[in-house]
């Protein structure tokens, strides 16, 4: 696949690229019921300046781990709020390349359209690969919301001005919600439904949780 763009960018150039690419996000890809759903995450070895990207591929609907991959690279971009994808996607793409076959759907530990420029890391990854993606953020990046009910499955709208940019979803009773938004290929309702389907027990969706645990084991950051 031809690269979408160069990664050799300044923060100012990265912002402009996000604005250029956001119009290319589609939400109408055909999606047969997937048999393999992946989660991706990145951990850091800060003393060494290394990023450790992990991918966990789970069978659906059993949610059993069927494959995983790790890629360690020098951290390619400084930490700049709103530009996470330029820091984390290069190592994530390397980890995905090490799989025996691409997954049919990817849940990303980060935001999609729930982003100031509507082009978070989940959008960027999905557009790069042409694979349906969902952004699942642990904290809010933009927008306002009312706290959803305390029961598992409760949700509320995440609004940036008058624009619906995501859903605040309680994935576990009495535990802090997560922020679900469109990444690539699917409308918001489908993103929420799939997030629910792969989050049976813990706060984080199982593909992301297993990728996170793998990254923690690799970096020693529990």
């Amino acid at each position: 696949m031809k690269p979408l763009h160069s990664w050799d960018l300044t923060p100012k150039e990265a912002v402009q690229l996000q604005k250029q690419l956001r119009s290319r996000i589609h939400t109408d890809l055909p999606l047969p019921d997937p048999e393999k759903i992946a989660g991706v995450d990145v951990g850091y070895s800060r003393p060494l300046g290394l990023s450790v990207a992990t991918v966990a591929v789970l069978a659906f609907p059993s949610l059993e781990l069927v494959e995983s991959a790790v890629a360690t690279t020098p951290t390619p971009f400084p930490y700049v709020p709103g530009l996470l994808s330029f820091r984390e996607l290069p190592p994530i793409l390397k980890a995905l390349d090490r799989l025996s076959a691409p997954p049919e759907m990817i849940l990303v530990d980060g935001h999609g359209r729930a982003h100031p420029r509507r082009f978070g890391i989940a959008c960027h990854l999905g557009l790069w690969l042409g694979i349906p993606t969902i952004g699942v953020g642990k904290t809010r990046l933009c927008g306002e919301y009312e706290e959803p009910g305390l029961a598992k499955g409760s949700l509320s709208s995440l609004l940036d001005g008058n624009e619906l940019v995501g859903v605040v979803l309680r994935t576990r009773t009495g535990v802090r919600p997560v922020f679900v938004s469109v990444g690539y290929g699917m409308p918001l309702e489908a993103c929420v439904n799939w997030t629910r389907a792969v989050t049976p027990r813990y706060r984080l969706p199982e593909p992301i949780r297993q990728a996170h645990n793998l990254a923690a084991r690799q970096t020693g950051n529990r």
Side-chain angles (χ1 to χ4, degrees), residues 24-30 113 182-188 190-191:
R24 295 173 60 179
I25 297 301
H26 301 291
T27 59
D28 57 355
L29 291 183
R113 278 188 169 167
V182 169
Y184 184 79
M186 296 182 290
L188 181 57
C191 291

Side-chain angles (χ1 to χ4, degrees), residues 173-214:
T173 298
V175 173
R176 287 178 296 127
V178 295
F179 299 82
V180 181
S181 61
V182 169
Y184 184 79
M186 296 182 290
L188 181 57
E189 182 179 5
C191 291
V192 172
N193 289 340
W194 278 109
T195 300
R196 284 172 161 163
V198 297
T199 316
R201 182 177 178 186
Y202 298 98
R203 180 188 179 219
L204 292 179
E206 193 64 12
I208 292 178
R209 192 184 76 86
Q210 294 211 25
H212 175 78
N213 288 346
L214 179 57

Side-chain angles (χ1 to χ4, degrees), residues 147-191:
E147 194 73 15
L150 291 177
K152 178 178 179 176
S154 299
L155 52 80
S156 61
S157 297
L158 180 64
L159 299 169
D160 195 4
N162 294 321
E163 184 179 357
L164 178 67
V165 296
V167 163
V168 186
L169 176 64
R170 188 87 63 186
T171 51
R172 189 176 181 189
T173 298
V175 173
R176 287 178 296 127
V178 295
F179 299 82
V180 181
S181 61
V182 169
Y184 184 79
M186 296 182 290
L188 181 57
E189 182 179 5
C191 291

